[in-house]
Each structure stands twice: as structure tokens, then as C-alpha cells.
């Protein structure tokens, strides 16, 4: 019985210490750091819309920082590996996003480039190869969207 009370007291004290340390999440939705008035997509439209959906989640209408975001995306697919017979066995996808942020209140412009690389295997079926490529593209766009959100949250902190 005393052992249970002691464990509970230690857990309770630990919780109090962690809650009062001032720790805050950087990527918290609805954090009122910025409001994205408009997102303009250039380049690869499909990837641009995936990025737009992920980035728009962190926008808050209550923020004083009103911004316009331009996403200029480019996607390159190259052969990574070939077999001895000359068949392609692996592709490499390179995704580059040029981010431009214009602050509407101050007309200040900020630019940043993001770049990621991923590989995917060629399967026996063409449809599986296409699915592997789609999965790689979604993964790249999700990773870059996270990078963009982190950058914007730190900048507007």
C-alpha cells in the first residue's frame, strides 16, 4: 500500500515539474503565429496541392502576421540503378520547392529553398511501380511540408 502511494507521489511530482518548465511545441496547430491569406502554386501542381493542404493546417485567422505564400515546385526523376541486362531496377526522385513568403502588412519578402531526395524500386508489375512512385512523392511532399512549417514557425516566433 505504501509502495503504491510513493509511486503515485513521484509520478505526480514529475508531472508538475514537466508542466511548469515552460516547454512549448513548435508545430502546434492554431498557434496564432501567422495567417496564410493565399497560397500560389507554380510548377508541379499535384505536389503543390499536397504541400498546400499540409501547410494551411497551421494557419490561424487570429494572427497579426498576414502572409501570401508562393510554392514553386520542381520534380526530377532519374535512373538510380540498372541491372546487368540493362533493365532499370531503381529510380531516384528529387523534389525542390522554392518558398516565397510576402508579409502583407510590411511588404517584406522572404525566400527559402527546400530540397529532398527519395528512391523507389521498380516492381514486376507496372502498376506496383506507379504505386511505389506515388508513395515516394507523397513521402517527399510530407517531409518538405514539415520542413516549411518548422521554418515558418521559427521565423514568426
Amino acid at each position: 500500500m505504501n509502495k503504491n502511494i510513493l509511486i503515485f507521489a513521484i509520478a505526480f511530482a514529475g508531472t508538475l515539474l514537466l508542466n511548469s518548465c515552460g516547454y512549448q511545441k513548435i508545430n502546434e496547430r492554431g498557434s496564432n503565429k501567422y495567417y496564410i491569406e493565399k497560397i500560389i502554386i507554380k510548377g508541379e501542381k499535384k505536389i503543390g496541392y499536397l504541400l498546400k493542404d499540409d501547410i494551411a493546417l497551421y494557419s490561424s485567422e487570429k494572427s497579426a502576421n498576414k502572409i501570401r505564400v508562393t510554392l514553386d515546385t520542381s520534380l526530377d526523376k532519374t535512373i538510380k540503378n540498372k541491372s546487368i541486362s540493362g533493365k532499370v531496377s531503381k529510380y531516384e526522385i528529387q523534389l525542390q520547392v522554392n518558398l516565397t513568403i510576402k508579409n502583407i502588412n510590411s511588404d517584406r519578402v522572404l525566400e527559402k529553398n527546400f530540397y529532398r531526395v527519395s528512391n523507389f524500386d521498380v516492381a514486376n508489375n507496372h502498376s506496383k511501380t506507379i504505386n511505389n512512385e506515388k508513395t515516394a512523392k507523397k513521402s517527399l511532399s510530407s517531409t518538405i511540408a514539415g520542413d516549411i512549417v518548422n521554418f515558418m514557425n521559427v521565423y514568426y516566433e
Side-chain angles (χ1 to χ4, degrees):
M1 179 75 173
N2 288 339
K3 200 178 211 183
N4 290 338
I5 293 173
L6 181 64
I7 291 172
F8 176 75
I10 292 171
F12 183 71
T15 305
L16 282 177
L17 286 173
L18 286 177
N19 283 338
S20 62
C21 72
Y23 170 78
Q24 282 184 320
K25 284 184 174 181
I26 291 177
N27 285 352
E28 196 168 350
R29 290 185 188 166
S31 60
N32 297 338
K33 293 181 182 174
Y34 53 86
Y35 171 62
I36 301 174
E37 182 183 84
K38 187 175 184 179
I39 298 178
I40 301 165
I41 298 169
K42 297 179 181 176
E44 292 286 327
K45 298 292 185 193
K46 198 169 199 176
I47 290 178
Y49 286 115
L50 289 172
L51 291 170
K52 177 182 177 181
D53 291 343
D54 286 347
I55 294 169
L57 292 173
Y58 295 91
S59 176
S60 175
E61 290 183 21
K62 297 175 186 174
S63 175
N65 295 316
K66 301 201 182 311
I67 59 175
R68 264 193 203 119
V69 174
T70 303
L71 300 169
D72 189 2
T73 60
S74 65
L75 184 75
D76 293 323
K77 182 171 105 172
T78 58
I79 297 171
K80 178 81 174 173
N81 289 337
K82 283 186 177 183
S83 65
I84 296 171
S85 62
K87 286 180 134 183
V88 176
S89 61
K90 189 178 276 193
Y91 284 102
E92 179 178 85
I93 296 179
Q94 302 164 355
L95 177 61
Q96 182 172 351
V97 178
N98 299 324
L99 172 73
T100 305
I101 301 172
K102 182 179 181 187
N103 192 320
I104 296 171
N105 300 335
S106 66
D107 285 335
R108 188 172 180 185
V109 176
L110 176 67
E111 293 184 2
K112 176 99 170 127
N113 294 328
F114 297 90
Y115 179 79
R116 293 286 180 164
V117 177
S118 180
N119 298 316
F120 69 93
D121 294 325
V122 175
N124 293 335
N125 296 339
H126 182 65
S127 61
K128 287 184 181 179
T129 303
I130 298 297
N131 283 339
N132 290 347
E133 183 176 0
K134 284 181 184 179
T135 303
K137 286 179 182 179
K138 283 183 182 179
S139 175
L140 280 175
S141 66
S142 177
T143 303
I144 286 187
D147 292 345
I148 290 171
V149 168
N150 286 339
F151 172 73
M152 290 169 56
N153 283 336
V154 168
Y155 183 78
Y156 286 106
E157 188 65 38

